Structures are given as C-alpha cells and as structure tokens.
Amino acid sequence: ILNFDEDLNSKKITKSIEIVYGLRNFIGNANKFSKSKVFIRLKSDTNFTQINIEDDGNGFPNDIISKIGEPYLKSSKSLKEKSGLGLGLFIGKTLLEKNFATVSCWNSEKRGGAEVVIKWKNKDLFNL
C-alpha cells in the first residue's frame, strides 16, 4: 500500500544506486516478515523528505531493537526459517546514511510489525 497523500514536494531526486539498494533492503525485509501487507508512506515538505516502511508481521525482537544496523546481529528469539545475521539491515542502513539519511527502526504501535523511518534534509537529498 503506497500513500502519496502527504507528498508536497515535486523535486526530482538524482538516482543513486546506494539509495535504491538501501530502500530495497528495507522494503524486502518488510515483505519477507509481513503477514499480508507492507505499508509505504512518502512524506515531503520544504525541509525534509521521509519514507516510512511498515509491515503487519511480528515486529523486531525486543532484544535487538537498540542494535539494529550492527552486523552479525542475531536475536535469541529468531524465527529460524526467516532469520539472518542482520547484514541486509546493516548494509541498507550504511548505504542510506552514506547518502545523508537518518534511519530509525522500532515496532509499529499502529500495525504491530516493524517500522523503519528514513529521513533526509531536502538540501542533502536533492543535491546528491
């Protein structure tokens, strides 16, 4: 489900393979761990552009939330068939931060699954 209702900024973003790969990692994880839906919201104003990615899955294990983005991360409560070593999150976060984004992860209060918020200052995003 894509929501563009809050998109007030019509500027073009220079294509960056790092941004594409980073977003693909987080969207792919949301798809992998969702029960049935992934929600993506793009919000932009004159100062910031933000992408929220949420899923309706089980969310991040509580024992790793504060460590998301570190490599070789494994929860003691991992779902064996879907768990990894956190390298996709590490690489995605690193690539996006290299392109001036801030990346925050937590469990969604609204949907119960994982929520990732990726935010740029427009002056950084549009001048890549």
Side-chain angles (χ1 to χ4, degrees):
I1 296 174
L2 277 165
N3 179 350
F4 292 103
D5 293 344
E6 299 179 52
D7 182 17
L8 303 175
N9 200 330
S10 62
K11 293 183 180 180
K12 287 189 175 187
I13 300 169
T14 303
K15 186 175 179 179
S16 161
I17 194 69
E18 291 96 351
I19 292 175
V20 170
Y21 190 83
L23 290 174
R24 189 169 49 179
N25 273 350
F26 285 108
I27 293 168
N29 273 353
N31 185 54
K32 178 179 177 182
F33 290 100
S34 71
K35 291 177 184 170
S36 63
K37 293 182 182 170
V38 174
F39 303 85
I40 300 171
R41 185 174 67 241
L42 174 64
K43 181 179 177 181
S44 185
D45 60 24
T46 55
N47 298 309
F48 296 97
T49 296
Q50 178 174 306
I51 298 172
N52 290 50
I53 304 165
E54 291 180 79
D55 65 64
D56 63 353
N58 294 324
F60 296 112
N62 289 330
D63 61 332
I64 66 162
I65 286 181
S66 65
K67 300 174 188 170
I68 290 175
E70 294 178 16
Y72 305 108
L73 187 60
K74 192 109 172 138
S75 171
S76 60
K77 301 169 189 162
S78 290
L79 301 171
K80 292 193 187 308
E81 70 278 2
K82 291 186 179 180
S83 66
L85 297 174
L87 292 176
L89 293 176
F90 167 71
I91 292 168
K93 187 173 188 279
T94 300
L95 290 172
L96 290 168
E97 288 174 345
K98 178 182 174 204
N99 283 272
F100 310 108
T102 58
V103 179
S104 303
C105 304
W106 55 78
N107 287 325
S108 171
E109 291 181 17
K110 186 174 185 178
R111 306 202 199 302
E115 181 172 1
V116 177
V117 176
I118 303 156
K119 188 173 183 178
W120 289 270
K121 290 181 182 175
N122 287 343
K123 70 178 184 66
D124 295 330
L125 181 61
F126 298 129
N127 291 321
L128 292 173

